[in-house]
Every structure is written in C-alpha cells, then in structure tokens.
Amino acid sequence: MQINTEFQQELMESGYIHRPLPLHEEASLEQTEREKKVTARRTVWSGDGEGCCGNPVSMERGTVETVRIEEENVLAMEAPLLCQCWPEGMPQDGDCAYYGHIHAAFPVKEADWTSFHRVRALIRPECDGSRTVSLSMYLENDGELKVPDRYRRRGFHMMNLNNHQWNDCIWEFPSLPRDCVSGFGFRYRINGRDTASGENAVFYVKEIWLETVENPGKESGWLPESNRFCYSTCGYEPGASKKAVLAAGADTDTFTIEDRKGQVCLEKRLENVAWRGENFQIADFSELTQEGEYRICAGGMAGEWFPIRDGVLEDVTWKGINFLFCERCGYPVPGKHGLCHMDTYAEHKGLKLPYCGGWHDAGDMSQQTVQTAETVESLLELAAERRESTLLCQRLMEEALWGLEFIFRTRFGDGYRATSLGLIRWTDGKIGNDDDASNVRVHNHALENFICAGVFALAAECLGDYDRELAWRCAGAAEEDFRFAQERYQTHGMELPLPWEHTYSSSAALYYGEIVTAAARIWKVTEKEEYAEAAAEYGRKLLDCQEKDSSKTGMRGFFYRDETHQDIIHYNHQAREHVPATALVLLCRVLENHPDKILWEEGIRLYGKYLKDLLGHASPYEMLPAGLYSETAEDPDIFRLLHLQADYETEKDNHTLQVKAGTRVKPGYGVRQFPVWFSFRGNTAVMLSAAKGAAVVGGYLKDTFLMKAAASQTDWLFGKNPFGRSLMYGAGRGYQQLFSTFPGTCVGQLPVGIETDGNSDIPYWPGGNQSTYKEVWVTSVAKLFGIIAEIYKNQT
C-alpha cells in the first residue's frame, strides 16, 4: 500500500496523528478566490471614514470603537471571554448556553448590493492563548426575498482566522438576495476560556469592501461550469470506476488522458447524456489502471492533475483519523484545545458521571453517546479490513478504544446511561461553580442500549487478539445492555427519544434492525442460543416492514417505518438507511443453517433491486438518490421526529412540493435526489448510509454493479459533484473552510453535506459558511469509514 511521499513525511512528523496534520491552504477555495480578477470595488467601511456605511455600534457585550494601531485607524471589537452573568433568557442549564456576542452592527438602510459578488475584509484577531479563533459576518436583506431565512441558515458566514495576523477574508455570495440590504456586521460568540486562553477576545478590522469579480463561484445547479471537469480530485485506486462529468458543448466528441510526460495514455469518445432537460458529457476512463499522475483533456480544456495508485483510500483514512483526533473531548489536542469538559456531568440516583470523552459532535462541543458508539463501530470495521497495514490498523484501533472507553463510562449499570448534551462553550474543569454543564440527558432507553450492545459485541469480536481481557468485558457489557434493552422494550415498547437525541428519527423497523444486529453479534461471541432465537424472531418482524409489491408505489424492496406500511423510512440528517439491509446480511452470515435464511435472502435481493431502481433515476454524477417518497406528508407526530425545528402545518405543503420536484414514478409517489428537509439540510450521511447498504448487499450477492455504485459515492465527496470541489478539507483540491467553530479548520473534516434551495431537488452549495450544511460532523467521517471498510472487504 503506497502513500504519497510528502504526506508520509507529514504523517511521521505528526506521530501518526498525535498532533494535527498541517493545513494546505494553497489548494483551497479561499486561495482561488483571492486570485480572482476584481472588476469593480466599493468601500463599505475604512478607518479613514470612507465607505457607504458609517461607524458600527455595539449591540450586545463588550466594546466596539475606532482605535489607532500601527499608525492606522481600525475598528476594535473587544469583550471578556468569561462573563459574570448569563445573558437574559439564557439559563445556565439550558442546551447550548453561552455568554452572548460581541456584535458590531453597521448602519445600513435599503442598500442595493446586487452588482457586487462578494464582501472582503482585513481582520486581525488578538485573542491571547486562543488556539482556534472564528468570527462571523452576517447580512440582512429586506427585499422580495428575506435574509435571514426562517431557520437562520442563510445570510451568515463563519471565518476561521489565524491569530495575531491580518487575514484576507472573502465571503462570496452571488445568489444571496441583496437588493435591499438592511443589516451588515460581525458577531463573535463568547464561549468561555480554554486552558491556554487569555482574558479577552479582541478583533481589529482595517478595511471592508464590496467587490465584483469575473468568475463568481457556482452555487446552484446540476450542470458543471463550462470550463470544469468534475471527478474525484483525490484520485483513484487502480481498480476503481473512474468517470468525469462535464457540461456538453466542448468542440470535440473525444477526450484524452495525459500523463506527466505529456503522453496520451487513453483516448475515447465522450458519452452524451441528457438528464432533466440538460446535456452532459461523461468521460469514462475506468480501464486506466496503471499507477501514475494524469489529467483529463477535451476541447482545449485540461483538468488538474490527479493520481491513480494503490493507497488513495489509505490517505483519505489517515486524514479522517486526523479530524476525529482533533474532535476528542476530555483530551488535550495540541494546537486545538486543552483537557476539556471535566465539569460536564450527568446525575442519576445520587451518582455524578463526568460526561467527557469520545468525540465532540460537530463544529460545536455537543456530545452524543450513540454517535460515539457508531463511530467506534466504523473504526473497528475498517481496522478489521486493514490488518496488513500495521500502522494504520493500530491507529484505527487506538481511536476506536478512545471512543469505546466513553461508551463504557456513560453506563450507570442499571440500564440508565448518559446519552447527550448540547454544548457550545469551554468550561474550567472545576465542579461546583457557575460554568458547569450539569444538564446531561440520562435515559433508560431500549434503542440506545440495543445499539451499544451491538457495538460492544463487535468490539468483543475485534479485540480477541488485541486486548483479550477488554474483549471479555465488552462481551459482558453487550449481554448486560441487551438484557436492559429487552426488559425496557418488553415493558414500554418502542419509545420515541427526545428530539435532540441522536436517535430522534427512529422507527419500529430501526428497532428490529438494531435488535437483530446486536443479537447476532452477541451470538457470534457467546454462542448462546437465546441470542440466535432473538435475532431470527426480529428478522421476521423486520421483513414484515418491507414492501414486496410495486403496484401501489411503483417500487418495492424498501422498508416502511413499521408493519402497517403507512410511512416509508426516510432520513434527512441522522441516517441509518443501511441498518435493515446490513441486519439481514448479518443474519445470513451468522445463522447460515437457519430455515428462515431463504426469506432473509429474498429480502436482501428485494432491497438490492430497490437500490438499482433508485440508481436508474440517478444524475450523471451517479449519486444515490435519497429514496422514494409519498407526496403526502407523514402524520404530525412522525413529521416532528423527522424534521427538527419545523412546524407541520407550515411545512406540510412544502413536503408535497419537494416530492413533486423530484421524478414521479407513480401517482402520489416520486424519487428525490436529495431528502425532503427543512431546517436541517445536507446529504453526506444520508447518501453514505444508503451506500453502506448497497455495499453490504452487493458484497453478499456478489453483485458487481451494486458494489461499484456504493464505492463511487465517495467520488461525490471528493469532487465528482456539480461544483467540482472536494468536500473534505485537505483532500484533493477546491476544499474550503467549513463551519467548525471549536476544532477550527482541520485536515479530514467533512460537512453535513450539499443541500438544496427551498423546495427544489437541485444541488445548492452557497458561499456562506453556516450550519447545518457546511458544519463539520463526526458522523460524516464515520459513515465514510464504513464505506471504505466495505470497499476493502469486497476487494478480497
């Protein structure tokens, strides 16, 4: 397995990810934006009193004033990092409590900024001891289209800044409504003090401009830009499917692949594809397997260089580990943060349980036990497939054990466990003062215990030769958690979690799938017949949730939420689309002589057929569509489970419009490329969860089409998308800063994912850096690791 030589050196210098990898900003979108030709400029504000806006005012905490430094007048924003009281309306024990904002608001009144594509500012933070610093710009519009939107996702741009130096900051927003700008300014969330932090946060702003540029960034649509090839900018493993997408219109019907010596290694015809009224061309160079560096050329265009070599996926894996390492909670990460959150805790029956460990959830510092458990699962699965790569396998196991320890520590021992905490501030590690977070959720919830039981059982299997005594304890914990879950489930049935739990979109079918998974895995390590019986029993229940007749919906093989066949399983943020399929495959592999195996295999084949039918509706980028939807919104209770922060009465008609924006397959039913969603948008986890199902089913059935389709979903992440950009920071080219307030910018970050605008089914990737779509997320990397594990498994 080969790794890029320069990257190998960086890995060694990081101690194989025991300090963060260096950032390569030269290949970033931000660097490209700085190099664009500016054709018009208007000053918004300068220290000399020029500009279309006057001096800003402070709207919340701290001071905002003009001061003189380095013989220049600059705007200074300053506030203490730790305040003596909480802002009005923000209780200490509420989720995501913080100390307010430094808020500099510029006086703007009905300004028309439509002729400008972006705003640019020179900003210097002087935040002593702060290892990661971020500041947000915002814009409000009072024209025909209002900004911000109802869910406050549009009109904000978070910037990760280099401390103690001037930062050239650009927010490109060609599609943002700005015909009647009514507000503009900066905000910094006051979040307490980390180990090294000083007393205050200080920001200086020297200049702010509006700019018009020759080539504003593409933000929406399926067609690539006219001069761009869209392919995996990370490169390809030799045996992988390799395709590039370009807009039709090149002055040729052929393409070539050139190597670094300028030799043509492959020449083929471009495939013309019409899709949704637009014309594309596809360059398929899958037969090129010789290792080397290449570029695609067609019609006078030449793409960027990319590698074909054994080891591309290994590079990506190391980078993903880097992100997880940077997200560790309760661990001092060099250059990122100190030993954190020792004073966040759960309480149960007189016991206090410190809730630090595992990984922070995303761009904030929230924690989710089930998310950590599922991340451990993906790490263990991938480590099991990389045993011959000793360093990588050992590092995957180390990270998995870090998360495994957290899952152990969240258990109270009676079925109750600490499950989640919303958190966006540093705390001082001293229990008993006002900055503690004592509001960790505690539940005895069957689904969480079934999921954790399955992960413990997998760990028991994987640790057998690695740490035999820990493997023994994992097997015991798996049985205990399964027993707690069974007792709760038999008494209370399917309990719906609180909306902010990681399991909020759960269904009866998900319960069945997780019970099967846990029971089958425990049987593997204990061989106790009761677990085989439980796995088979709930395998039958799971099959009762599957659609076997296409006459009503036009498709079959998918799963409903329960046996009534009323509501199809869907996900729009958290995603466990793969669970029913992987559970059935596990049953077939573990209980291979069971009389129900013929039924399980039929369910697997049906689900594989459903995925193939979905792929028949896929775009030229071959992204797995989100699924088949009914045009009628789910009932209000289910709707609230699926769509956080969205009101049923307000959005039910928009649900119908979103499905109609997809592809109709039967009256009342349509296929969506992207999920139906409202506040929480971004399809990385949704797409990769479905891809996991495709990979597992394809591997079991030895279906080459499904295996290749699953593997090719990673290409979407690395540049084979309409924007031609890698979504993983530090991998490939065109990656950009993501919404990562607390870890800051890290190599290996993946966002929640590409979204849509309004009710459309068209990819939308606006320049504003805002949650949820651009927020970094541990789940996205975990889901990617699950796919990479299946790719390796299917190669052997």
Side-chain angles (χ1 to χ4, degrees):
M1 189 68 64
Q2 298 180 9
I3 293 181
N4 175 279
T5 304
E6 180 185 358
F7 183 55
Q8 178 68 54
Q9 184 64 32
E10 292 176 354
L11 273 179
M12 292 174 61
E13 291 173 357
S14 76
Y16 290 93
I17 318 298
H18 290 92
R19 65 174 301 115
L21 290 168
L23 306 176
H24 285 279
E25 297 180 359
E26 68 276 5
S28 70
L29 177 67
E30 286 78 18
Q31 184 58 35
T32 300
E33 288 177 337
R34 293 183 189 109
E35 295 168 357
K36 288 183 179 180
K37 183 177 180 180
V38 177
T39 58
R41 173 179 284 182
R42 177 194 294 175
T43 300
V44 174
W45 181 91
S46 75
D48 296 330
E50 299 178 355
C52 58
C53 291
N55 288 325
V57 296
S58 174
M59 299 297 290
E60 294 187 47
R61 292 192 157 172
T63 60
V64 175
E65 59 185 345
T66 302
V67 301
R68 192 163 184 82
I69 64 168
E70 298 177 350
E71 300 183 351
E72 292 184 277
N73 292 327
V74 300
L75 177 68
M77 304 164 55
E78 181 174 3
L81 286 171
L82 188 64
C83 300
Q84 296 304 309
C85 61
W86 300 92
E88 184 177 351
M90 190 171 298
Q92 179 271 340
D93 60 351
D95 259 6
C96 298
Y98 58 97
Y99 298 103
H101 293 96
I102 309 174
H103 180 180
F106 289 81
V108 186
K109 187 175 181 181
E110 298 180 354
D112 186 351
W113 289 3
T114 52
S115 63
F116 298 98
H117 300 126
R118 65 193 199 182
V119 63
R120 189 171 192 168
L122 293 176
I123 304 170
R124 189 175 95 189
E126 290 292 345
C127 301
D128 292 339
S130 295
R131 287 171 278 187
T132 61
V133 182
S134 64
L135 181 69
S136 290
M137 276 193 258
Y138 70 89
L139 182 150
E140 297 169 348
N141 191 67
D142 198 29
E144 183 177 353
L145 293 175
K146 308 296 182 184
V147 177
D149 61 290
R150 180 187 305 152
Y151 299 110
R152 299 187 67 78
R153 304 302 189 190
R154 177 180 284 178
F156 303 92
H157 179 62
M158 193 218 71
M159 304 162 287
N160 287 317
L161 305 175
N162 295 315
N163 208 0
H164 310 302
Q165 68 183 65
W166 288 106
N167 294 259
D168 184 6
C169 301
I170 296 171
W171 175 13
E172 205 158 284
F173 45 41
S175 67
L176 184 70
R178 55 196 184 280
D179 57 314
C180 187
V181 176
S182 55
F184 172 77
F186 298 96
R187 282 196 183 101
Y188 172 78
R189 185 186 286 153
I190 305 170
N191 299 293
R193 296 173 60 192
D194 185 23
T195 302
S197 300
E199 298 286 339
N200 299 315
V202 182
F203 296 88
Y204 297 121
V205 182
K206 185 157 55 175
E207 299 282 352
I208 309 170
W209 307 276
L210 292 170
E211 292 183 336
T212 305
V213 293
E214 280 192 343
N215 296 302
K218 173 183 171 64
E219 293 192 325
S220 182
W222 287 105
L223 276 177
E225 294 177 278
S226 59
N227 60 345
R228 185 181 292 275
F229 298 96
C230 299
Y231 57 92
S232 173
T233 63
C234 288
Y236 299 88
E237 297 279 340
S241 174
K242 309 174 190 72
K243 295 181 182 179
V245 181
L246 59 156
D251 296 332
T252 180
D253 57 0
T254 62
F255 73 95
T256 59
I257 304 290
E258 295 181 357
D259 64 16
R260 282 286 190 180
K261 296 177 181 179
Q263 296 178 335
V264 174
C265 303
L266 181 69
E267 182 172 4
K268 285 181 68 177
R269 292 187 65 84
L270 289 162
E271 178 187 357
N272 294 305
V273 175
W275 190 74
R276 289 193 171 183
E278 296 178 314
N279 296 314
F280 302 79
Q281 291 182 307
I282 310 297
D284 186 343
F285 51 102
S286 299
E287 62 263 50
L288 185 61
T289 59
Q290 180 67 38
E291 294 196 355
E293 284 203 326
Y294 303 94
R295 65 178 181 180
I296 310 171
C297 303
M301 296 189 300
E304 299 281 354
W305 295 100
F306 63 88
I308 295 177
R309 60 179 174 80
D310 190 23
V312 165
L313 289 177
E314 188 153 315
D315 285 7
V316 168
T317 301
W318 280 111
K319 291 171 181 179
I321 292 171
N322 181 80
F323 173 52
L324 293 182
F325 175 69
C326 292
E327 287 276 23
R328 280 189 181 187
C329 177
Y331 183 94
V333 180
K336 292 297 179 183
H337 60 77
L339 180 65
C340 60
H341 300 115
M342 304 295 286
D343 51 347
T344 66
Y345 57 90
E347 295 186 76
H348 175 63
K349 291 185 177 180
L351 296 176
K352 290 186 177 181
L353 183 154
Y355 196 64
C356 60
W359 303 278
H360 294 137
D361 170 67
D364 60 11
M365 294 177 281
S366 296
Q367 276 281 46
Q368 295 276 350
T369 298
V370 165
Q371 176 178 263
T372 286
E374 291 176 328
T375 302
V376 169
E377 180 179 46
S378 292
L379 287 162
L380 291 172
E381 289 175 341
L382 184 49
E385 302 302 326
R386 305 311 305 143
R387 289 190 183 95
E388 79 284 359
S389 183
T390 305
L391 275 173
L392 179 58
C393 181
Q394 291 293 331
R395 190 61 188 81
L396 287 164
M397 290 300 292
E398 177 189 343
E399 205 64 26
L401 291 180
W402 173 257
L404 187 66
E405 184 72 19
F406 180 67
I407 309 170
F408 269 117
R409 289 196 300 103
T410 60
R411 305 171 77 239
F412 281 99
D414 60 354
Y416 285 83
R417 66 190 326 132
T419 57
S420 66
L421 170 67
L423 190 69
I424 52 174
R425 69 179 188 273
W426 299 116
T427 58
D428 62 9
K430 301 177 180 66
I431 296 177
N433 58 12
D434 288 342
D435 83 335
D436 294 355
S438 59
N439 55 312
V440 176
R441 301 180 186 99
V442 176
H443 290 123
N444 178 6
H445 196 274
L447 184 59
E448 272 94 349
N449 279 323
F450 280 130
I451 291 172
C452 290
V455 174
F456 278 133
L458 177 64
E461 180 184 359
C462 294
L463 291 170
D465 297 327
Y466 188 89
D467 187 333
R468 186 168 58 186
E469 305 306 325
L470 181 59
W472 170 83
R473 185 66 191 100
C474 285
E479 289 199 80
E480 291 166 5
D481 279 356
F482 192 87
R483 185 177 69 255
F484 292 139
Q486 270 190 318
E487 291 172 354
R488 185 76 184 186
Y489 185 62
Q490 289 168 1
T491 303
H492 294 83
M494 189 192 82
E495 294 180 280
L496 298 177
L498 291 174
W500 290 108
E501 291 286 0
H502 199 275
T503 52
Y504 66 83
S505 56
S506 55
S507 62
L510 179 63
Y511 268 75
Y512 302 155
E514 296 292 1
I515 294 171
V516 168
T517 300
R521 284 176 175 171
I522 297 172
W523 185 87
K524 284 185 73 175
V525 297
T526 68
E527 296 188 349
K528 293 180 180 179
E529 192 60 30
E530 63 188 277
Y531 297 109
E533 292 173 359
E537 176 188 353
Y538 283 93
R540 290 188 286 273
K541 290 179 178 291
L542 180 58
L543 287 176
D544 287 342
C545 300
Q546 189 176 32
E547 178 61 81
K548 301 173 179 65
D549 181 4
S550 61
S551 60
K552 174 184 175 183
T553 64
M555 289 185 177
R556 59 180 183 154
F558 57 86
F559 289 85
Y560 291 97
R561 292 179 60 84
D562 57 31
E563 296 93 333
T564 67
H565 289 207
Q566 294 298 307
D567 297 290
I568 302 170
I569 288 179
H570 292 127
Y571 297 94
N572 54 63
H573 186 57
Q574 313 289 355
R576 297 177 178 87
E577 171 72 30
H578 63 283
V579 169
T582 55
L584 292 174
V585 169
L586 183 60
L587 276 174
C588 290
R589 294 193 185 281
V590 172
L591 305 178
E592 56 185 359
N593 297 317
H594 196 281
D596 283 354
K597 183 179 178 181
I598 189 171
L599 302 176
W600 303 333
E601 288 188 327
E602 178 60 19
I604 293 168
R605 281 190 286 270
L606 279 173
Y607 186 70
K609 177 64 166 58
Y610 170 61
L611 292 174
K612 287 183 176 180
D613 287 344
L614 287 182
L615 286 162
H617 294 281
S619 73
Y621 302 91
E622 300 178 302
M623 180 193 79
L624 249 170
L628 178 72
Y629 283 80
S630 167
E631 291 178 2
T632 304
E634 299 87 354
D635 71 50
D637 291 336
I638 294 175
F639 186 92
R640 282 190 286 272
L641 277 176
L642 297 180
H643 304 289
L644 293 183
Q645 299 181 328
D647 176 69
Y648 175 77
E649 292 299 330
T650 302
E651 301 290 14
K652 64 181 181 180
D653 291 341
N654 289 322
H655 170 107
T656 300
L657 291 173
Q658 288 191 36
V659 177
K660 288 183 175 180
T663 304
R664 174 174 274 200
V665 295
K666 202 81 170 179
Y669 291 88
V671 168
R672 286 270 305 177
Q673 300 297 312
F674 293 89
V676 169
W677 45 22
F678 302 101
S679 176
F680 282 67
R681 299 184 180 220
N683 79 323
T684 300
V686 177
M687 175 186 71
L688 292 180
S689 181
K692 172 87 173 183
V696 171
V697 167
Y700 184 78
L701 298 176
K702 295 182 170 41
D703 188 315
T704 303
F705 176 84
L706 282 176
M707 288 189 287
K708 286 188 174 181
S712 69
Q713 300 307 301
T714 62
D715 295 346
W716 173 273
L717 300 179
F718 302 128
K720 190 187 171 189
N721 55 60
F723 310 98
R725 303 176 198 154
S726 174
L727 303 186
M728 176 179 271
Y729 198 94
R733 301 191 65 84
Y735 45 80
Q736 65 186 110
Q737 284 193 7
L738 298 168
F739 190 88
S740 52
T741 308
F742 296 102
T745 300
C746 312
V747 169
Q749 292 173 327
L750 273 175
V752 173
I754 291 174
E755 61 164 341
T756 59
D757 188 11
N759 292 328
S760 77
D761 197 21
I762 296 170
Y764 180 50
W765 197 233
N769 187 14
Q770 173 67 350
S771 63
T772 56
Y773 52 97
K774 285 193 178 175
E775 186 170 8
V776 301
W777 199 17
V778 166
T779 287
S780 296
V781 172
K783 289 284 193 286
L784 174 62
F785 280 3
I787 294 298
I788 293 175
E790 295 302 322
I791 292 172
Y792 283 129
K793 183 183 293 184
N794 291 331
Q795 287 177 350
T796 58

